[in-house]
Amino acid sequence: MVCVVEEQPSIMEHKHKLVAAASSQARGTCPNYTIDRLSNLPDEVAHQMLSFLNFKELIRVGSVSKRCRELFLSTPSLVICSPDSGNKQKHLNLLDSFDRFLLHRGDSKIQRLSISWCISSGLANKIFRMITWIHIAARCNVEVLDFALNGKHIPGTLELPACVFLCGSLRSLLVHMDTILKAPSFACSSNLQCLTLKSVTMDEGFCKWISSSCKCIKKLQLSYVSIENIIIESSSLESFSLVGSSLRGIRLCHLNISCEKLVDIHIEFYKFDSSSKSMNIFAPNLKYLTWIGSILNYHNLGKLTCLEKAEIFLKRKKDDYDFEKIFEVLCSICKVKDLILSEDTTQALFREGSMQLQFDDISYLSLHAGGVFDDLVPAMVSLLRGMPNLKTLHINSYPRFFGSKSCKFNRKYWKSQNLDFVHCLEVVKIELSNGYNGMEFARYILEHAQNLKKMVIHYPPKQSYVERRLRKSKMISTTSIDYQKRDLHNLQSWSESVELYCVLCAVSNLFTEVLGSKKSSCR
């Protein structure tokens, strides 16, 4: 019970009254200067507050008063998690408590049921009890169902009860477990709007069921699912997400998505193996595209004329084959307005005699790189040359494990390129790293960007001279410059970046080559 003092006493008086209130509650009474705020709340508000609690915490609330017990039994949001302790008896006690709870609450509405359980030895046969809970939730018109199991004793194959697929009220379904998930063996129509599958092995029929039976689905998320062919055709799907890696034994041969209403695609897949063949996407109304990781042998994105934002972080190889593939990807998104690129993707675009890509509609560009190093500058020039209407430029750098030179390209070089983008620039943010290229690029912008309104410079502690040198630039606009010293010891900002994966892959590949050469020499 929540008690509050009506008057404003001193701190000491407040503490004494709280102690007295707690003592009175323990005796079943309540002092006259307190109000039971929880009991006076409307059911909808109280239930919203209780939705943040799991079942064990709900039990404690339900034991406070008669009114709290009523709220406890009628709460429509139920979250049950296995105890932290591996004690088998504690697991069984909680299972029994939830069984009794469902019996007492009858057919009261269940808006959400979330089950998260660790299946330990001896408890595998208790899964049928959780299936019973799902049956009860379906009978009580459940709208959101989350079913997550982990542990070494999960059954190898799981078929969800038919009531899940036949439940007309169900709008969101999440299944997270390392098992083979079978598609329904009967024809049915589902009102699902959101489907999330994690760590499951999907049989081929599941994609067919999604395409043929889920006529209302708007959001589909597949995370580390194992399936060779993903083929989705939907007239209602608006958001699609695929996350995976062959490093975890996940094979993906073909990805075919045909969804006219699709507006958001997120693909994050690393280390496609040699069996990864193709990706075909038909999404003429796509607005947001994120593609992180490896590139496939063949892909077709079509012409994405409605695209507003694209984030491309592709891992390249040092050959023309990857150049052609990444070039094709960026050709498909040439109408994008906001573009975010990784260093590898940017470098893969540049080679002597290559065709110039035009991004006439781009107004925002963000580059994530180790810095404005010598090996990146030619690719930057090629990229910026095709963006005559660029207004905002961000260069985000992260620490490199391996040294790179950054001293070859000064202001005269940039000026000699006659780049049109500099005349439209309004906002620039540059995170400087080792060397002088980044600083020289900043000076070039200050001296040639007549519409520049704001520049933010982040510089390493050892480059305190940056501010002094930039102030000597002959600016042609009334630019506001914000100098910020970077704390390179705080790695949080860049360790969360997807570029960390590329860095770790480089380290991994290096060690693999070194070990391979040692083995060859031993032979």
Side-chain angles (χ1 to χ4, degrees):
M1 184 180 297
V2 179
C3 296
V4 57
V5 180
E6 293 182 330
E7 298 180 355
Q8 298 294 329
S10 66
I11 295 178
M12 290 303 296
E13 290 175 344
H14 183 61
K15 289 183 178 180
H16 288 314
K17 288 183 178 181
L18 285 177
V19 174
S23 177
S24 299
Q25 291 175 18
R27 296 192 299 270
T29 63
C30 192
N32 58 7
Y33 55 80
T34 60
I35 300 174
D36 182 357
R37 296 286 293 273
L38 181 62
S39 296
N40 290 337
L41 290 174
D43 285 2
E44 298 80 13
V45 178
H47 285 156
Q48 180 62 29
M49 295 172 62
L50 296 179
S51 67
F52 295 98
L53 306 179
N54 61 40
F55 179 65
K56 290 178 65 177
E57 294 165 337
L58 277 176
I59 294 175
R60 299 190 186 100
V61 174
S63 64
V64 173
S65 67
K66 182 179 179 181
R67 168 62 175 160
C68 288
R69 179 168 176 78
E70 292 174 356
L71 293 172
F72 162 66
L73 290 175
S74 62
T75 183
S77 183
L78 307 177
V79 179
I80 180 166
C81 310
S82 56
D84 295 333
S85 170
N87 187 294
K88 179 181 177 180
Q89 191 58 47
K90 287 186 176 181
H91 282 242
L92 293 175
N93 289 343
L94 189 57
L95 290 170
D96 293 340
S97 296
F98 199 69
D99 283 339
R100 291 192 298 269
F101 166 77
L102 292 178
L103 180 65
H104 282 96
R105 76 187 309 279
D107 291 333
S108 297
K109 167 73 176 179
I110 296 179
Q111 189 271 333
R112 174 192 176 209
L113 174 61
S114 178
I115 303 170
S116 179
W117 207 270
C118 179
I119 304 298
S120 58
S121 177
L123 289 175
N125 61 341
K126 304 301 180 183
I127 292 180
F128 78 92
R129 298 173 72 169
M130 301 175 193
I131 299 298
T132 303
W133 300 345
I134 293 175
H135 277 282
I136 295 173
R139 189 182 68 219
C140 296
N141 298 319
V142 67
E143 297 178 17
V144 179
L145 175 61
D146 298 343
F147 191 23
L149 299 178
N150 62 77
K152 298 180 179 179
H153 301 276
I154 299 175
T157 303
L158 177 69
E159 185 172 2
L160 292 173
C163 64
V164 172
F165 304 105
L166 296 173
C167 183
S169 61
L170 190 63
R171 297 292 183 269
S172 176
L173 173 64
L174 181 149
V175 180
H176 184 184
M177 60 188 73
D178 189 7
T179 187
I180 298 174
L181 184 64
K182 297 184 66 176
S185 56
F186 52 89
C188 61
S189 179
S190 172
N191 293 324
L192 268 180
Q193 295 181 1
C194 178
L195 175 61
T196 303
L197 303 178
K198 297 183 177 182
S199 300
V200 301
T201 298
M202 298 167 58
D203 67 14
E204 295 292 338
F206 222 99
C207 288
K208 294 180 181 178
W209 174 77
I210 294 173
S211 298
S212 61
S213 300
C214 299
K215 299 301 183 181
C216 302
I217 193 165
K218 294 183 178 181
K219 189 174 184 178
L220 176 60
Q221 295 179 305
L222 306 178
S223 180
Y224 293 100
V225 299
S226 184
I227 182 172
E228 288 193 359
N229 301 312
I230 297 177
I231 303 174
I232 303 293
E233 296 181 9
S234 173
S235 60
S236 61
L237 191 65
E238 298 177 0
S239 176
F240 174 76
S241 173
L242 173 65
V243 178
S245 171
S246 64
L247 295 175
R248 291 180 55 170
I250 297 173
R251 291 182 60 198
L252 179 62
C253 291
H254 302 286
L255 173 62
N256 293 332
I257 306 293
S258 179
C259 305
E260 191 169 352
K261 291 185 178 180
L262 199 62
V263 296
D264 183 18
I265 293 180
H266 182 104
I267 298 175
E268 190 172 343
F269 211 108
Y270 303 110
K271 291 288 184 181
F272 284 111
D273 57 25
S274 57
S275 63
S276 300
K277 302 297 184 183
S278 65
M279 177 174 70
N280 286 285
I281 293 178
F282 174 73
N285 297 303
L286 193 69
K287 292 183 179 181
Y288 310 102
L289 170 65
T290 300
W291 189 354
I292 302 172
S294 306
I295 200 163
L296 288 82
N297 295 340
Y298 171 80
H299 60 267
N300 178 22
L301 299 179
K303 291 295 183 181
L304 305 176
T305 57
C306 299
L307 202 61
E308 295 181 6
K309 181 178 180 180
E311 185 173 350
I312 311 296
F313 282 66
L314 296 178
K315 186 67 179 170
R316 71 182 178 99
K317 296 178 182 178
K318 296 180 180 179
D319 53 32
D320 291 345
Y321 181 80
D322 274 344
F323 172 87
E324 298 292 346
K325 300 308 176 187
I326 295 179
F327 190 87
E328 290 174 7
V329 171
L330 293 191
C331 281
S332 299
I333 65 170
C334 62
K335 296 296 183 181
V336 70
K337 296 176 178 62
D338 296 353
L339 181 60
I340 305 172
L341 294 178
S342 66
E343 181 176 4
D344 268 359
T345 307
T346 304
Q347 287 183 329
L349 288 174
F350 177 74
R351 66 174 180 179
E352 288 189 35
S354 61
M355 186 183 301
Q356 177 66 54
L357 269 174
Q358 281 298 125
F359 294 95
D360 293 334
D361 297 326
I362 283 186
S363 60
Y364 173 91
L365 173 65
S366 177
L367 296 179
H368 292 249
V372 187
F373 293 111
D374 292 349
D375 55 357
L376 179 65
V377 171
M380 282 181 58
V381 171
S382 177
L383 188 64
L384 293 171
R385 194 181 300 280
M387 300 180 179
N389 300 308
L390 187 65
K391 292 184 177 180
T392 303
L393 172 62
H394 289 179
I395 299 179
N396 305 290
S397 66
Y398 55 86
R400 273 190 176 180
F401 290 146
F402 307 106
S404 295
K405 293 182 179 180
S406 177
C407 58
K408 186 177 179 181
F409 300 95
N410 56 22
R411 283 172 296 163
K412 291 182 179 180
Y413 168 82
W414 286 102
K415 184 178 179 180
S416 67
Q417 299 303 309
N418 297 317
L419 300 173
D420 292 334
F421 85 96
V422 73
H423 304 300
C424 294
L425 272 182
E426 295 180 0
V427 179
V428 174
K429 187 190 80 170
I430 301 177
E431 294 181 353
L432 300 178
S433 55
N434 297 330
Y436 300 100
N437 286 347
M439 182 183 65
E440 289 294 302
F441 180 58
R443 294 186 68 181
Y444 159 75
I445 291 175
L446 287 173
E447 295 178 358
H448 294 86
Q450 63 265 32
N451 293 314
L452 191 64
K453 297 177 181 178
K454 183 178 180 180
M455 175 178 281
V456 180
I457 298 293
H458 296 261
Y459 61 90
K462 293 183 179 180
Q463 294 186 4
S464 57
Y465 57 83
V466 167
E467 185 173 347
R468 183 177 68 256
R469 293 192 180 182
L470 289 181
R471 290 188 188 279
K472 294 181 180 180
S473 302
K474 298 178 181 179
M475 294 185 292
I476 61 174
S477 63
T478 57
T479 305
S480 169
I481 306 178
D482 182 13
Y483 298 94
Q484 299 181 11
K485 185 181 295 185
R486 297 180 63 190
D487 183 8
L488 297 182
H489 296 290
N490 182 10
L491 301 181
Q492 182 178 0
S493 61
W494 71 273
S495 65
E496 293 176 350
S497 167
V498 292
E499 283 292 340
L500 178 60
Y501 166 79
C502 299
V503 172
L504 294 178
C505 279
V507 175
S508 175
N509 293 338
L510 178 64
F511 279 117
T512 302
E513 292 176 4
V514 171
L515 291 175
S517 61
K518 285 187 176 180
K519 289 180 179 179
S520 300
S521 61
C522 289
R523 294 193 190 101

Coordinates of all heavy atoms in Angstrom, one line a residue, residues 1-4 17-31 34-36 64:
M1 N 0.8 -1.2 0.0 CA 0.0 0.0 0.0 C 0.9 1.2 0.0 O 1.9 1.3 0.7 CB -0.9 0.0 1.2 CG -1.9 1.2 1.3 SD -2.9 1.1 2.8 CE -3.7 -0.4 2.5
V2 N 0.5 2.2 -0.8 CA 1.3 3.4 -0.9 C 0.6 4.5 -0.1 O -0.6 4.8 -0.2 CB 1.3 3.9 -2.4 CG1 2.1 5.2 -2.5 CG2 1.9 2.8 -3.2
C3 N 1.4 5.1 0.9 CA 0.8 6.1 1.8 C 1.6 7.4 1.6 O 2.8 7.4 1.3 CB 1.0 5.6 3.2 SG 0.1 4.2 3.6
V4 N 0.8 8.5 1.7 CA 1.4 9.8 1.5 C 1.0 10.7 2.6 O -0.2 10.7 3.0 CB 1.1 10.4 0.1 CG1 -0.4 10.4 -0.1 CG2 1.8 11.7 -0.1
K17 N 6.8 9.3 10.7 CA 5.5 8.9 10.2 C 5.5 7.8 9.3 O 4.6 6.9 9.3 CB 4.8 10.1 9.6 CG 4.4 11.2 10.6 CD 3.7 12.4 9.9 CE 3.3 13.4 10.9 NZ 2.5 14.5 10.3
L18 N 6.5 7.7 8.4 CA 6.7 6.5 7.5 C 6.9 5.2 8.3 O 6.3 4.2 8.0 CB 7.9 6.8 6.6 CG 7.6 7.7 5.4 CD1 8.9 7.9 4.6 CD2 6.5 7.3 4.5
V19 N 7.7 5.3 9.4 CA 7.9 4.1 10.2 C 6.6 3.7 10.9 O 6.2 2.6 11.0 CB 9.0 4.4 11.3 CG1 9.1 3.2 12.2 CG2 10.3 4.6 10.6
A20 N 5.9 4.8 11.4 CA 4.6 4.5 12.0 C 3.6 3.9 11.1 O 2.8 3.0 11.4 CB 4.0 5.8 12.7
A21 N 3.6 4.4 9.8 CA 2.7 3.9 8.8 C 2.9 2.5 8.5 O 2.0 1.7 8.4 CB 2.7 4.8 7.6
A22 N 4.2 2.2 8.3 CA 4.6 0.8 8.0 C 4.2 -0.1 9.2 O 3.7 -1.3 9.0 CB 6.1 0.7 7.8
S23 N 4.4 0.3 10.4 CA 4.0 -0.5 11.6 C 2.5 -0.7 11.6 O 2.0 -1.8 11.9 CB 4.5 0.2 12.9 OG 4.1 -0.5 14.0
S24 N 1.7 0.4 11.3 CA 0.3 0.3 11.3 C -0.2 -0.7 10.2 O -1.1 -1.5 10.5 CB -0.3 1.7 11.1 OG 0.0 2.5 12.1
Q25 N 0.4 -0.6 9.0 CA 0.1 -1.5 8.0 C 0.3 -3.0 8.4 O -0.4 -3.9 8.0 CB 0.8 -1.2 6.7 CG 0.4 0.1 6.1 CD 1.3 0.5 4.9 OE1 1.9 -0.4 4.3 NE2 1.2 1.7 4.5
A26 N 1.4 -3.2 9.1 CA 1.7 -4.6 9.5 C 0.7 -5.1 10.4 O 0.4 -6.3 10.5 CB 3.1 -4.6 10.2
R27 N 0.0 -4.2 11.2 CA -1.1 -4.6 12.2 C -2.4 -4.6 11.5 O -3.4 -4.9 12.1 CB -1.1 -3.7 13.4 CG 0.2 -3.7 14.2 CD -0.1 -3.0 15.5 NE -0.4 -1.6 15.3 CZ 0.5 -0.6 15.3 NH1 1.8 -0.9 15.4 NH2 0.2 0.6 15.1
G28 N -2.5 -4.2 10.2 CA -3.7 -4.2 9.5 C -4.5 -2.9 9.6 O -5.7 -2.8 9.3
T29 N -3.9 -1.9 10.2 CA -4.6 -0.6 10.4 C -3.8 0.5 9.6 O -2.8 0.2 9.1 CB -4.6 -0.2 11.8 OG1 -3.3 0.0 12.3 CG2 -5.3 -1.2 12.7
C30 N -4.4 1.7 9.5 CA -3.8 2.8 8.7 C -4.0 4.0 9.5 O -5.1 4.3 9.9 CB -4.4 2.9 7.3 SG -3.4 3.9 6.3
P31 N -3.0 4.8 9.8 CA -3.1 6.1 10.5 C -4.0 7.1 9.8 O -4.1 7.0 8.6 CB -1.7 6.6 10.7 CG -1.0 5.9 9.6 CD -1.6 4.6 9.4
T34 N -2.8 9.3 6.6 CA -2.4 8.7 5.3 C -3.5 8.3 4.4 O -4.7 8.1 4.9 CB -1.5 7.4 5.6 OG1 -2.3 6.5 6.3 CG2 -0.3 7.7 6.4
I35 N -3.3 8.2 3.1 CA -4.3 7.9 2.1 C -3.7 6.7 1.3 O -2.6 6.7 0.9 CB -4.6 9.1 1.2 CG1 -5.1 10.2 2.0 CG2 -5.6 8.7 0.1 CD1 -5.3 11.5 1.2
D36 N -4.6 5.7 1.0 CA -4.2 4.6 0.2 C -4.4 5.0 -1.3 O -5.5 4.9 -1.9 CB -5.1 3.4 0.5 CG -4.7 2.2 -0.3 OD1 -3.8 2.3 -1.2 OD2 -5.3 1.1 -0.2
V64 N -1.1 -7.2 0.0 CA -1.1 -6.0 0.9 C -2.5 -5.8 1.4 O -2.7 -5.5 2.6 CB -0.6 -4.8 0.1 CG1 -0.8 -3.5 0.9 CG2 0.8 -5.0 -0.2

